């Protein structure tokens, strides 16, 4: 009896070990979920294209949409997200400079969204009247970018050396006496009923049913340095699921989707 009892214990132990080995094998096949924050257009649209491809590799992406440029970085830093996809490098650098506690970094450039000048009151910038009101983004980086675009369109001149961090104080010449109104970037399309022109980021323009290639009176060209990037917490770029995400975003499939879907309004950067 005693021998039989110990034999049964040995068999039970063997079965238990075999069972654990099976659980580990099954665990390896489980999906990993990546939560990524994005603005609806075009970022969330692009991410939707790679969902099936990532699912085949065991990575499920959960897209959480935002309509502002602040919360996605805060949520990422607070570990509510694994990544975000909505901003460009100059904005990220400025954001981290102002929020020194933020430990987030750029891991990949995906596309360029040219900023444009829009209006519901004029059809050509030549028709812009003296004293016209201009709405620009109120965040430092995009505000400077808008001023540079106005300068490139010969509507004003900036001080020597002014760059993407330019502010209204850097306006050196304003021949049309333009009145510059600073507005939250996401709200700029709504100002078109009240202002003469507005400088709007492409994602917010498209979200408001504006076609950058048809509706913009003036638009950045392909030399724009404002590549939209994927951002993660420092060091997370080495996580296998993040690497899979980046590989999918930089695929020929995504390049073709961007080119065909947006018809030049958005340009692949890889």
């Amino acid at each position: 009896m005693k021998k039989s009892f110990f034999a049964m214990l040995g068999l039970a132990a063997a079965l238990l070990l075999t069972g654990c080995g099976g659980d580990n094998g099954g665990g390896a096949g489980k999906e990993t979920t990546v939560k990524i924050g994005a603005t609806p257009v075009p970022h969330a649209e692009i991410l939707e294209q790679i969902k099936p491809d990532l699912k085949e590799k065991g990575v499920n992406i959960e897209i959480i949409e935002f309509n502002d440029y602040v919360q996605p970085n805060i949520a990422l830093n607070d570990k509510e997200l694994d990544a975000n996809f909505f901003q460009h490098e100059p904005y990220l650098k400025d954001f981290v400079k102002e929020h020194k506690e933020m430990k987030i970094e750029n891991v990949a450039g995906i596309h360029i969204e040219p900023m444009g000048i829009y209006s519901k009151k004029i059809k050509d910038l030549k028709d812009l009247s003296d004293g016209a009101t201009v709405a620009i983004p109120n965040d430092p980086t995009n505000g400077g970018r808008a001023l540079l675009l106005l300068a490139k369109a010969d509507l004003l001149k900036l001080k020597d050396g002014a760059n993407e961090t330019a502010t209204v104080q850097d306006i050196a010449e304003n021949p049309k006496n333009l009145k510059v109104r600073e507005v939250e970037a996401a709200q700029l399309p709504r100002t078109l009923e009240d202002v003469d022109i507005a400088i709007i980021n492409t994602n917010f323009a498209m979200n408001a049913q504006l076609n950058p290639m048809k509706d913009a009176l003036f638009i950045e060209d392909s030399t724009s340095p404002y590549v939209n990037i994927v951002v993660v917490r420092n060091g997370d770029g080495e996580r296998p699921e993040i690497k899979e995400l980046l590989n999918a975003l930089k695929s020929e499939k995504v390049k073709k989707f961007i080119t065909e879907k947006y018809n030049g309004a958005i340009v692949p950067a890889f």
Side-chain angles (χ1 to χ4, degrees):
M1 281 292 291
K2 190 177 290 186
K3 183 177 180 182
S4 176
F5 174 73
F6 284 114
M8 289 176 67
L9 280 178
L11 178 61
L15 287 170
L16 181 62
L17 287 171
T18 303
C20 288
D23 286 346
N24 285 341
K30 290 182 179 178
E31 282 190 347
T32 301
T33 297
V34 174
K35 292 184 178 181
I36 180 164
T39 45
V41 181
H43 305 86
E45 291 182 342
I46 293 171
L47 289 168
E48 286 289 348
Q49 302 305 306
I50 61 172
K51 266 188 172 182
D53 307 291
L54 287 172
K55 194 171 184 66
E56 289 180 3
K57 296 179 180 294
V59 180
N60 176 55
I61 59 170
E62 183 179 338
I63 305 166
I64 296 140
E65 294 189 1
F66 292 83
N67 282 299
D68 74 284
Y69 285 165
V70 177
Q71 293 307 313
N73 280 337
I74 293 174
L76 175 61
N77 188 70
D78 291 347
K79 298 185 178 181
E80 295 171 12
L81 299 172
D82 297 293
N84 67 42
F85 178 35
F86 76 97
Q87 63 195 313
H88 49 62
E89 179 73 11
Y91 180 82
L92 174 65
K93 286 182 177 178
D94 186 74
F95 192 92
V96 171
K97 184 178 179 180
E98 289 190 3
H99 302 79
K100 291 182 172 55
E101 75 282 4
M102 296 281 174
K103 304 299 179 184
I104 56 179
E105 62 182 351
N106 168 16
V107 286
I110 306 301
H111 67 272
I112 298 169
E113 300 175 15
M115 181 178 269
I117 302 176
Y118 298 84
S119 178
K120 285 191 175 181
K121 297 186 176 179
I122 60 172
K123 298 294 184 183
D124 194 301
L125 288 180
K126 294 176 182 178
D127 300 326
L128 194 62
S129 61
D130 188 78
T133 301
V134 181
I136 68 170
N138 67 355
D139 62 274
T141 306
N142 284 300
R145 181 183 180 185
L147 291 171
L148 288 173
L149 187 61
L150 288 169
K152 193 167 186 177
D154 294 325
L155 293 176
L156 50 76
K157 288 187 178 180
L158 300 176
K159 295 175 182 177
D160 291 341
N163 56 24
E164 69 273 1
T165 63
T167 68
V168 290
Q169 281 70 45
D170 291 305
I171 297 174
E173 296 180 27
N174 187 1
K176 284 186 171 290
N177 299 305
L178 300 178
K179 299 172 184 175
V180 181
R181 182 190 299 178
E182 296 174 285
V183 178
E184 184 183 351
Q187 302 303 318
L188 282 165
R190 297 183 182 181
T191 69
L192 288 173
E193 299 294 340
D194 304 312
V195 302
D196 295 285
I197 58 173
I199 293 75
I200 307 175
N201 295 78
T202 287
N203 59 317
F204 292 130
M206 295 181 71
N207 205 37
Q209 309 304 313
L210 293 168
N211 184 322
M213 302 309 293
K214 294 180 180 179
D215 298 325
L217 304 182
F218 192 83
I219 198 165
E220 287 175 329
D221 57 30
S222 59
T223 62
S224 171
Y226 296 91
V227 177
N228 277 231
I229 57 179
V230 176
V231 176
V232 300
R233 287 184 296 279
N234 291 1
D236 277 5
E238 294 304 309
R239 287 167 52 185
E241 60 271 28
I242 298 296
K243 286 185 176 181
E244 292 287 4
L245 170 70
L246 300 182
N247 287 337
L249 278 172
K250 297 175 80 172
S251 65
E252 286 301 315
K253 176 181 178 179
V254 168
K255 182 178 287 186
K256 183 179 179 182
F257 172 77
I258 291 173
T259 303
E260 294 180 355
K261 169 75 174 178
Y262 304 112
N263 195 30
I266 296 172
V267 183
F270 56 90

